[in-house]
Amino acid sequence: METTSEEISNVSLLKDVEYLTTILDEVLLHEGGETLLNVVKEIRVLSKEVRETHDENTQEKIKLKISELEPGIRQKVIRAFSMHLHILNIAEQNYRTRRRREYQSQDANIIQPGSLEAGVKQLMDNNVSPDQITDLLSKLSLELIMTAHPTEATRRTILQIHKRIAQLLTSLDYSYTRYEKKLIKERISNEITIMWQTEEIRQNKPSVMKEVSNGLYYFDRILFDVLPKIHDDLEDLLFENYNQRWTIPSFLRFGSWIGGDRDGNPNVKATTTFDTLKHHRELVLRKYKEAISTLKDRLSHSDSKVDFSEEIRASIEKDRQELNEIGWYKEDEVYRVKLSLMLKKLDYTEQDDPRGYEKSEELLADLQLIRESMMIHHPNHNPVKLLRKVIRQVDLFGFHLASLDVRNHSGEHESALTEIFHKVGIADEYKSLDEKEKVSTLISVLENPRPLISIYDEFSPETSEVIDTIRVIKRAQDTFGLRAIEVYLISMTDNVSDILEVLVLAKEAGLYRVYPNGKVVSRLHVAPLLETIDDLKNGPEMIKQLFEIPLYRKHLEARGDLQEIMLGYSDSSKDGGNITANWELYKAQQDIHAMASDYGVKLKYFHGRGGSLGRGGGPLYTSLLSQPAITLGDGVKITEQGEVLSSRYLLEDIAYRSLEQATSTLLTGIMGLNDDNTKMQPSQEEVDTMSMISEYALKKYQSLVFEDPGFIQYFNQATPLHELGDLNIGSRPMKRKGSNHFEDLRAIPWVFAWTQSRQLLPAWFAAGTGFKKYLEKTDNLEQLQKMYSKWPFFQAIINNLQMALTKADLQTAKEYANMMEDKEISDRIFGQLAEEYEETKAIVLKITGQEELLDNRLNIKESVRLRNPLVDPLNLLQVQLISQLRNEGEESEKYDELLTEALLTINGVAAGLRNTG
């Protein structure tokens, strides 16, 4: 029987894990002697035995062993298990890149699923015509937005070590001599030693500008090269299959919130936003200079050998006169002359000298002049790909690198306008007006071309900051280009007035204007964020009321009849549970899309997903698959945050793989070719089924989270919630404005705490009750099975439940529950969790027809199996340390040492479960 490439890869993965573990053990021996190594090995063996046998006596042995550890060696044991999980992550990354290489090395007929090749082949197999391809490309749009949400527990210094080890592990696959293998092992050993001798925990919270720097790292090292490659490879594949060359629009872009998201983060000011964009431009200009210098080295064509266009010669003369420069010293090498002059103009651009490029479009035009000239003498079927790549880079990144979204809370705008309107005599107390009066007042102000705010007016610091923020958007667009900031997002949008308030502020900054003839000019998309269950249910009616306002319709016309709407997966899940949140999100998209079509308005949905399952996490391509197919054609935006950035974009091969899967899914999704379900909407029966399940699940979820009087106490005491605040993983506070209300707790610590305690409540709780009550009422398991086989949305729900139930662990969760002071509350709530867990697991297995969870996703199942024996001891250590911390109190001499060790366990568990919040 022939061995498959996947089986070969699995064997290779285990081999890599064993190889790296051996090196780690050598480092442990050096750093802690045989005592440390023997303790670590003993706990490993016992932990693996518990997982295989579920023997309670062995579990007690581990707990006893851990409790007997002296503080000095205990910290080393924690670090040893954490590092083991880090090297396991590295081995798995190498496994993914190896699989991709193996597919590419095989016969051309063997295509990796989800690849660009697979997507284009699917188009061909379904007889998609060239005209349809042209239409498809015009609809293709995916924006991925980096956020600074604090969910990356691993320091960037450690991540860079990961990257170097991963590169060495890859090079091992290509080493042939004993000497090469010996050198690689030595270098990996050195990197693991350095990692051991590096501080894992941030000593201070990162500043916003440090977060900006962390985000720019991915553009600098990965995205600047990978994004053009996706576009160029798609262009080549379409040419190969259709024998027709399309100019692929720049459909795949990255944006950012880092430095623009001020909702709940008092550290983000107007000056921060402008400084962020300056850093963006500094990086992109440096990258262009590097790329054009490389082009200058390559394009050595001489006019004694080839003909050049008259246009390129004329442009050189024009540049020479304006710059008073000759360019390249060998005048016959025309492209080198031109590129040297372009480099000089980029120098001037950096210095804000008027002799530089005013806009990125001017740089793009110069590059296109070179390409058009090369068409005279270079084979058209084989373009110079480096030149094509640089042209794509300038088109993608402009002089702004990445569009920066600005976000603020609706209450901030309302408070600012209350003060402004009072000062100018429009309304004594705007905030107290009813919604109808607010809308009427706002429309009246928008219709009046006169400004409200004088340069001599003085306001409170809070209102001044709101005004400065909107003004800095205008300044940014004027300085860095209109694409620098295109969208203003409004958190907690409840009413039409929340949106009109931002337009009024935009009017005061000159971003929005109504002329006497009724013409409207608007330079900013205003996007509501629907993030609670009530917001999602009321969203369609609110948007309809908005579209009924003639003045707002003129604003939309000025923005290309496009309305962006952000959907919040985090707060909706925290508010109503995973099942209900996902269903209300799905319905809201369909309902708003249908309504917008009646008004001739295109919708771009912005999906605010987190990395964890409780916040809409999962692979990028499944995020796209689970949306209503009709919503894909107007463009899609998705947040990429925290640990997702490092897991997807730290290594070039993995970044490419993630982005090509998303592109392939989007290509086929827009054409309605995914999963053999064409463009069909769910049937009424399926909608009714989901609505019934959601209703039952919501009642169950809210009965625990909002109605059980002991729940908040359980959450506070049976998870490491309070210790997370000391981890220093983000500049933003855990709660909005220091509030102690549950509703104002950020969704990230909510999910992070449940994940650490292996309860993972936000990702699965109440699903079992929803399914169970549906089956009790209908006895129609076949309906659920059919939905799972044919409906991508329901398939994503069930597969994410499988993942969550697999990562959760009741035995470990019980240890956290035992930290509760009130045993009655602990027993009651944990009993509910345990019962619901078993119920959910049993029904999920019936729906999927599997014997065990994740039988249909064996790679993930194997990954969890490998990790559990390494994560479990860290959980036990965490419980022990947090219990001691809470007993000792902050005044204790031991407190700082115990806290450090507890934080180390949090880092380790986060590495093991591959997500935090």
Side-chain angles (χ1 to χ4, degrees):
M1 184 175 176
E2 191 173 331
T3 305
T4 67
S5 62
E6 186 147 323
E7 288 170 332
I8 293 170
S9 289
N10 279 326
V11 171
S12 300
L13 169 62
L14 295 174
K15 189 176 177 182
D16 284 346
V17 171
E18 186 178 336
Y19 175 78
L20 291 174
T21 301
T22 300
I23 297 175
L24 172 63
D25 285 351
E26 291 171 0
V27 171
L28 295 179
L29 183 62
H30 177 266
E31 297 292 333
E34 289 190 1
T35 302
L36 172 62
L37 183 58
N38 289 339
V39 168
V40 168
K41 282 186 171 182
E42 184 181 354
I43 295 174
R44 274 185 207 158
V45 170
L46 289 171
S47 186
K48 189 175 180 181
E49 186 180 332
V50 168
R51 278 287 166 179
E52 290 172 351
T53 65
H54 305 288
D55 181 65
E56 291 184 8
N57 291 330
T58 309
Q59 174 79 353
E60 291 304 315
K61 281 184 188 177
I62 297 180
K63 289 166 67 175
L64 179 62
K65 186 72 181 174
I66 284 172
S67 68
E68 291 174 345
L69 292 174
E70 294 295 327
I73 195 169
R74 182 172 60 201
Q75 184 171 136
K76 291 180 179 179
V77 169
I78 294 168
R79 298 186 67 220
F81 277 92
S82 297
M83 284 188 63
H84 202 154
L85 286 161
H86 282 302
I87 66 171
L88 182 53
N89 291 343
I90 294 166
E92 287 189 349
Q93 287 177 321
N94 193 51
Y95 161 77
R96 290 181 63 192
T97 58
R98 184 186 289 122
R99 281 179 66 198
R100 182 166 172 258
R101 292 197 304 269
E102 285 168 355
Y103 270 107
Q104 292 173 327
S105 68
Q106 296 190 40
D107 186 278
N109 293 322
I110 301 174
I111 297 174
Q112 186 171 18
S115 63
L116 287 177
E117 288 177 287
V120 173
K121 184 176 186 301
Q122 200 169 351
L123 297 176
M124 288 287 293
D125 291 347
N126 284 272
N127 299 315
V128 176
S129 69
D131 286 344
Q132 288 176 299
I133 294 290
T134 301
D135 183 55
L136 168 62
L137 294 175
S138 71
K139 295 177 179 177
L140 202 60
S141 175
L142 176 61
E143 293 176 71
L144 301 169
I145 310 299
M146 290 186 183
T147 80
H149 287 172
T151 63
E152 175 59 86
T154 308
R155 289 182 62 205
R156 194 173 87 183
T157 298
I158 301 293
L159 292 173
Q160 288 171 328
I161 295 173
H162 287 193
K163 184 171 183 175
R164 293 195 293 271
I165 295 173
Q167 290 167 339
L168 287 166
L169 205 55
T170 298
S171 67
L172 191 64
D173 288 342
Y174 298 98
S175 63
Y176 296 102
T177 68
R178 289 191 302 275
Y179 180 72
E180 288 173 329
K181 294 178 190 294
K182 175 176 172 289
L183 278 183
I184 290 169
K185 183 177 179 182
E186 287 174 355
R187 291 176 65 189
I188 291 176
S189 180
N190 284 337
E191 293 292 351
I192 292 177
T193 301
I194 292 168
M195 184 157 61
W196 179 268
Q197 295 173 359
T198 298
E199 180 61 66
E200 301 104 310
I201 300 172
R202 296 176 179 89
Q203 298 303 302
N204 305 105
K205 277 185 173 290
S207 67
V208 177
M209 296 315 297
K210 177 63 176 175
E211 290 174 331
V212 170
S213 173
N214 288 341
L216 291 180
Y217 173 86
Y218 296 101
F219 284 97
D220 188 9
R221 302 299 177 90
I222 300 293
L223 298 175
F224 199 73
D225 294 315
V226 168
L227 288 185
K229 185 169 173 55
I230 293 284
H231 289 83
D232 294 346
D233 287 355
L234 178 59
E235 184 176 312
D236 291 343
L237 284 164
L238 287 171
F239 176 70
E240 290 168 14
N241 284 273
Y242 283 88
N243 198 29
Q244 178 175 332
R245 193 168 286 281
W246 281 271
T247 300
I248 305 290
S250 294
F251 66 88
L252 179 59
R253 298 179 185 272
F254 270 73
S256 179
W257 275 13
I258 312 174
D261 180 15
R262 60 234 322 116
D263 177 26
N265 192 343
N267 303 303
V268 178
K269 305 291 186 185
T271 50
T272 313
T273 297
F274 198 79
D275 288 343
T276 296
L277 289 167
K278 286 199 291 188
H279 279 69
H280 281 205
R281 189 175 74 158
E282 287 168 8
L283 174 59
V284 81
L285 290 177
R286 172 170 65 79
K287 299 297 285 187
Y288 289 154
K289 288 168 72 174
E290 291 171 0
I292 289 172
S293 294
T294 304
L295 266 179
K296 192 182 78 170
D297 290 341
R298 303 276 179 87
L299 303 187
S300 57
H301 308 72
S302 170
D303 64 5
S304 66
K305 302 293 183 184
V306 298
D307 294 326
F308 296 86
S309 72
E310 289 304 315
E311 289 79 6
I312 193 106
R313 293 183 186 276
S315 76
I316 287 172
E317 289 310 308
K318 182 172 179 289
D319 287 346
R320 280 176 162 170
Q321 291 176 19
E322 292 177 355
L323 300 175
N324 195 26
E325 297 276 350
I326 64 164
W328 186 245
Y329 71 96
K330 283 178 63 61
E331 297 222 358
D332 64 307
E333 295 176 346
V334 175
Y335 297 136
R336 283 181 160 178
V337 174
K338 178 62 179 173
L339 289 162
S340 296
L341 292 165
M342 290 165 65
L343 283 169
K344 191 64 183 176
K345 289 180 80 171
L346 284 171
D347 284 337
Y348 286 133
T349 304
E350 277 186 312
Q351 299 160 23
D352 290 322
D353 189 302
R355 289 172 290 181
Y357 291 107
E358 183 181 352
K359 302 175 182 175
S360 63
E361 289 78 8
E362 296 170 358
L363 173 60
L364 190 62
D366 274 349
L367 289 164
Q368 287 169 336
L369 274 179
I370 295 173
R371 180 168 64 180
E372 288 160 8
S373 178
M374 289 192 71
M375 290 173 71
I376 297 171
H377 58 79
H378 193 84
N380 288 338
H381 67 276
N382 188 24
V384 175
K385 292 192 175 180
L386 178 59
L387 175 60
R388 183 175 68 169
K389 175 183 176 182
V390 179
I391 289 172
R392 177 69 67 184
Q393 286 169 330
V394 176
D395 188 46
L396 280 167
F397 301 111
F399 283 164
H400 65 291
L401 183 69
S403 293
L404 188 68
D405 287 351
V406 172
R407 181 175 75 139
N408 206 350
H409 194 284
S410 59
E412 299 291 325
H413 312 130
E414 184 183 61
S415 295
L417 284 180
T418 297
E419 185 176 348
I420 294 167
F421 287 168
H422 178 77
K423 187 175 284 286
V424 299
I426 287 176
D428 286 337
E429 185 58 38
Y430 167 77
K431 191 179 286 189
S432 66
L433 299 178
D434 64 31
E435 175 64 10
K436 187 175 180 181
E437 291 172 319
K438 284 181 180 177
V439 170
S440 176
T441 302
L442 294 165
I443 290 174
S444 175
V445 171
L446 286 168
E447 288 176 336
N448 190 332
R450 288 179 299 178
L452 293 174
I453 304 171
S454 162
I455 59 172
Y456 303 107
D457 287 334
E458 293 184 2
F459 298 100
S460 66
E462 294 79 11
T463 296
S464 295
E465 181 59 34
V466 170
I467 295 168
D468 289 345
T469 295
I470 207 80
R471 285 175 173 167
V472 93
I473 295 173
K474 170 73 160 51
R475 182 184 169 205
Q477 289 187 348
D478 292 343
T479 305
F480 306 109
L482 293 176
R483 285 164 54 195
I485 299 177
E486 296 183 295
V487 180
Y488 195 107
L489 291 150
I490 309 164
S491 296
M492 293 297 171
T493 306
D494 298 321
N495 298 294
V496 167
S497 61
D498 293 329
I499 300 166
L500 296 181
E501 284 164 3
V502 173
L503 270 190
V504 168
L505 292 166
K507 169 179 169 282
E508 292 306 304
L511 291 165
Y512 173 91
R513 186 174 179 187
V514 180
Y515 288 86
N517 64 1
K519 179 185 176 184
V520 169
V521 172
S522 186
R523 287 165 53 170
L524 195 65
H525 288 298
V526 180
L529 169 50
L530 309 178
E531 51 190 327
T532 68
I533 298 299
D534 285 343
D535 288 345
L536 291 167
K537 288 180 175 179
N538 299 332
E541 179 58 30
M542 183 189 72
I543 300 298
K544 183 176 185 294
Q545 291 174 15
L546 194 64
F547 289 175
E548 292 283 350
I549 300 172
L551 199 67
Y552 192 80
R553 287 305 313 277
K554 288 185 177 180
H555 154 72
L556 286 180
E557 287 172 18
R559 301 301 302 163
D561 279 319
L562 178 69
Q563 174 68 56
E564 184 167 312
I565 296 174
M566 185 170 183
L567 303 167
Y569 287 70
S570 304
D571 281 293
S572 58
S573 179
K574 178 170 156 275
D575 189 34
N578 189 266
I579 290 287
T580 300
N582 277 285
W583 181 232
E584 292 299 335
L585 285 158
Y586 189 93
K587 285 197 301 178
Q589 289 178 71
Q590 284 197 313
D591 294 346
I592 296 173
H593 190 278
M595 181 270 298
S597 297
D598 294 338
Y599 287 87
V601 175
K602 295 175 290 185
L603 290 177
K604 177 184 284 187
Y605 284 117
F606 182 4
H607 301 273
R609 293 176 176 271
S612 62
L613 298 169
R615 298 181 57 234
L620 186 54
Y621 73 95
T622 60
S623 299
L624 293 167
L625 270 176
S626 62
Q627 308 312 319
I630 56 170
T631 68
L632 298 178
D634 292 338
V636 180
K637 283 176 72 171
I638 300 176
T639 50
E640 296 279 63
Q641 56 187 266
E643 75 280 359
V644 171
L645 293 177
S646 59
S647 66
R648 286 183 187 157
Y649 307 115
L650 188 67
L651 299 175
E652 187 169 326
D653 278 349
I654 291 176
Y656 185 95
R657 177 62 180 152
S658 179
L659 295 174
E660 77 162 343
Q661 284 180 298
T663 299
S664 180
T665 300
L666 200 56
L667 276 171
T668 53
I670 291 172
M671 296 304 298
L673 304 177
N674 286 332
D675 291 323
D676 299 324
N677 66 338
T678 66
K679 288 183 180 177
M680 75 172 210
Q681 300 300 307
S683 67
Q684 188 58 50
E685 185 181 6
E686 289 167 334
V687 169
D688 292 343
T689 297
M690 262 315 300
S691 294
M692 195 185 303
I693 292 168
S694 172
E695 184 180 346
Y696 292 135
L698 178 63
K699 286 179 182 176
K700 176 66 176 178
Y701 178 85
Q702 293 189 334
S703 71
L704 174 65
V705 176
F706 294 104
E707 296 169 17
D708 189 305
F711 179 76
I712 298 301
Q713 186 180 346
Y714 182 90
F715 177 48
N716 280 302
Q717 295 182 10
T719 74
L721 174 67
H722 297 291
E723 289 71 25
L724 297 178
D726 293 305
L727 202 51
N728 291 327
I729 60 176
S731 66
R732 192 171 69 164
M734 286 174 64
K735 297 190 180 202
R736 288 184 172 92
K737 289 197 170 181
S739 168
N740 289 318
H741 294 107
F742 170 75
E743 290 78 6
D744 292 322
L745 175 72
R746 289 284 180 186
I748 290 167
W750 163 254
V751 173
F752 200 162
W754 289 116
T755 303
Q756 282 283 315
S757 62
R758 303 296 290 278
Q759 298 177 75
L760 275 79
L761 177 147
W764 61 267
F765 184 77
T769 293
F771 295 135
K772 177 185 176 184
K773 288 192 174 293
Y774 165 79
L775 291 174
E776 285 174 353
K777 188 162 187 176
T778 66
D779 194 27
N780 194 355
L781 177 63
E782 187 180 348
Q783 170 70 6
L784 300 181
Q785 292 171 332
K786 184 177 74 172
M787 287 163 61
Y788 179 69
S789 67
K790 293 188 175 180
W791 188 10
F793 165 77
F794 192 71
Q795 199 171 78
I797 291 278
I798 298 300
N799 286 341
N800 282 343
L801 282 173
Q802 288 197 72
M803 179 86 77
L805 293 167
T806 302
K807 287 190 173 185
D809 184 73
L810 289 184
Q811 188 172 25
T812 303
K814 180 65 175 172
E815 301 293 336
Y816 286 86
N818 287 339
M819 293 195 298
M820 281 281 298
E821 295 169 1
D822 190 321
K823 295 305 176 187
E824 187 276 326
I825 293 176
S826 172
D827 291 345
R828 184 182 74 249
I829 292 180
F830 183 77
Q832 279 197 61
L833 295 182
E835 182 181 354
E836 185 70 15
Y837 178 92
E838 296 299 342
E839 193 73 63
T840 307
K841 179 180 176 181
I843 294 179
V844 164
L845 289 175
K846 287 178 183 177
I847 292 170
T848 59
Q850 298 170 176
E851 289 187 16
E852 294 182 0
L853 295 170
L854 294 178
D855 276 351
N856 61 341
R857 304 173 85 183
L858 293 177
N859 290 338
I860 297 173
K861 184 177 179 180
E862 176 65 9
S863 174
V864 175
R865 187 192 68 79
L866 286 172
R867 291 163 187 281
N868 277 335
L870 301 173
V871 179
D872 294 345
L874 289 172
N875 281 122
L876 294 174
L877 281 156
Q878 187 178 112
V879 168
Q880 176 188 316
L881 290 162
I882 289 175
S883 298
Q884 287 185 44
L885 265 174
R886 294 175 183 176
N887 288 332
E888 294 278 350
E890 293 187 25
E891 303 304 317
S892 168
E893 293 180 3
K894 299 178 182 178
Y895 186 84
D896 287 343
E897 182 182 3
L898 290 169
L899 179 61
T900 297
E901 292 182 8
L903 296 180
L904 285 170
T905 66
I906 291 172
N907 268 359
V909 172
L913 298 182
R914 296 304 299 269
N915 49 44
T916 52

